[in-house]
Amino acid sequence: MNVLAIFKKEWRAYFASPIAYVVLTIFALISGYFFYSLLAFFSLSSLQATMNPGFGPGLNVSEWIVRPLFRDIAITMLLLMPAATMRLFSEEKKTGTIELLFSYPIRDWELLLGKFLAALALYSAMLGISLVDIAMLGSLATLEWGLILSGYLGLLLLGMAFLGLGILASSLTENQVVAAVGAFGVLLLLWVIGWSTEAAGPTLGPILSHLSIINHYDSFAKGTIESRDVIFYLNFTLLCLFLTLRSLESKRWRG
C-alpha cells in the first residue's frame, strides 16, 4: 500500500537525520525536569502538611502533579512539533523530489497521509517517554487512571492539531526554518487568543474562546471527555490536511 510505503520512508528519514534524536532528547529532558520539579514541590508541601496539619489541605497527586505535568507537556509540544514537521514537504520542494513523487502512481492523499502518520508516530513516541514518569509516580502513589487516560487522549488530539498545522506550513514553503517559525507563530497565536476573551466583550469573546486551541484541552485535563472538544480537534486537523492537499494539487498542476 502506498500509504505504508510513504510512512516507512518518512519514519526512516526521521532517524536518518538528527531531527528525531534531537526532538526526543529535548522532550525527555524538559518533561523530566517538569516532573522532577512538580514531584519535589509536592513532597515538600506534603512534609509541611505533616508538620502543620493546617497547611495545604486536600493535597492530591492528581491536582498537584498529573494535571500540571500534562499542561507542561502540551507547552513543550507547542515548541517542538513545528520542528518535527518542518521538513516533511519543504525538503521535498527544495530538493525537487516532490516532482519525482508526483510522477509515481501515488495519490496526493496517500502521500499526505503517509507523512502525517509518520509524524504522528514520532509524536506518540514522545508521549510514550512521558509514560515513564507516570509509571514511576504510580509506584509511589495511587493515581486516578481515568484522569490519566483522558489527559493522554487530549494530548493526542492536541498533537494531531499541531501536526496538521505544521504539515500545512511545510507544504507552503521550500524553507524549513520559515515553515517551523510560521507554524509556531500561528499555533502560539491560537494558544493565547483565548486570553483576551473578557476584554473582547460578550459577542467576540466566546468566538475567541472557541478558537483557542488550548481551551479545548481543559476538559481532558480535568478527567472528562467532551464531544465538542474532540470534534474541534478533529475538525481542525482535517481542515489543515485538506488545505495541505489543495496545496499539493496546486503544486502538481503547476509542475
Side-chain angles (χ1 to χ4, degrees):
M1 185 178 180
N2 292 332
V3 173
L4 182 59
I6 296 296
F7 169 82
K8 291 180 178 179
K9 169 184 173 295
E10 294 301 327
W11 182 253
R12 289 193 297 265
Y14 269 126
F15 290 92
S17 67
I19 292 179
Y21 301 102
V22 171
V23 168
L24 290 172
T25 300
I26 291 177
F27 174 77
L29 291 175
I30 294 178
S31 63
Y33 172 76
F34 283 141
F35 174 73
Y36 170 79
S37 299
L38 291 169
L39 182 61
F41 183 67
F42 178 79
S43 299
L44 179 61
S45 299
S46 299
L47 180 60
Q48 291 177 339
T50 302
M51 299 175 62
N52 182 7
F55 174 84
L59 288 176
N60 182 278
V61 171
S62 297
E63 293 286 343
W64 286 63
I65 299 180
V66 177
R67 289 182 185 176
L69 179 62
F70 282 153
R71 192 68 175 234
D72 292 338
I73 289 175
I75 296 173
T76 306
M77 294 303 189
L78 173 69
L79 301 173
L80 294 180
M81 284 303 97
T85 57
M86 64 181 183
R87 53 160 293 278
L88 289 177
F89 284 107
S90 296
E91 186 178 48
E92 303 276 14
K93 286 186 172 184
K94 186 175 182 179
T95 60
T97 54
I98 190 71
E99 284 80 9
L100 182 61
L101 288 173
F102 285 157
S103 67
Y104 292 154
I106 302 175
R107 298 178 180 179
D108 292 343
W109 70 266
E110 293 175 325
L111 176 62
L112 174 59
L113 184 58
K115 288 178 176 288
F116 175 77
L117 290 178
L120 184 60
L122 181 64
Y123 178 80
S124 300
M126 297 168 68
L127 292 182
I129 292 175
S130 68
L131 279 173
V132 176
D133 297 331
I134 298 297
M136 186 182 304
L137 183 63
S139 66
L140 301 174
T142 302
L143 301 180
E144 299 178 27
W145 291 105
L147 170 63
I148 292 173
L149 290 176
S150 68
Y152 272 108
L153 175 60
L155 285 176
L156 180 63
L157 293 170
L158 180 65
M160 289 171 59
F162 287 171
L163 293 174
L165 186 59
I167 290 176
L168 174 60
S170 181
S171 71
L172 297 176
T173 178
E174 297 180 357
N175 191 305
Q176 296 185 36
V177 176
V178 172
V181 173
F184 173 74
V186 175
L187 287 175
L188 182 61
L189 176 62
L190 292 174
W191 185 290
V192 304
I193 197 172
W195 296 357
S196 56
T197 53
E198 294 184 1
T203 302
L204 186 59
I207 298 176
L208 296 181
S209 178
H210 180 73
L211 291 176
S212 175
I213 200 169
I214 191 60
N215 282 359
H216 293 274
Y217 180 72
D218 290 340
S219 62
F220 295 100
K222 295 176 182 177
T224 58
I225 300 175
E226 299 286 348
S227 59
R228 65 175 181 270
D229 298 322
V230 175
I231 292 172
F232 172 84
Y233 285 128
L234 292 179
N235 285 342
F236 185 93
T237 304
L238 290 175
L239 175 62
C240 290
L241 295 181
F242 172 75
L243 294 176
T244 303
L245 192 60
R246 295 301 300 269
S247 175
L248 292 178
E249 292 174 350
S250 175
K251 175 65 177 177
R252 181 188 288 270
W253 285 111
R254 288 201 304 267

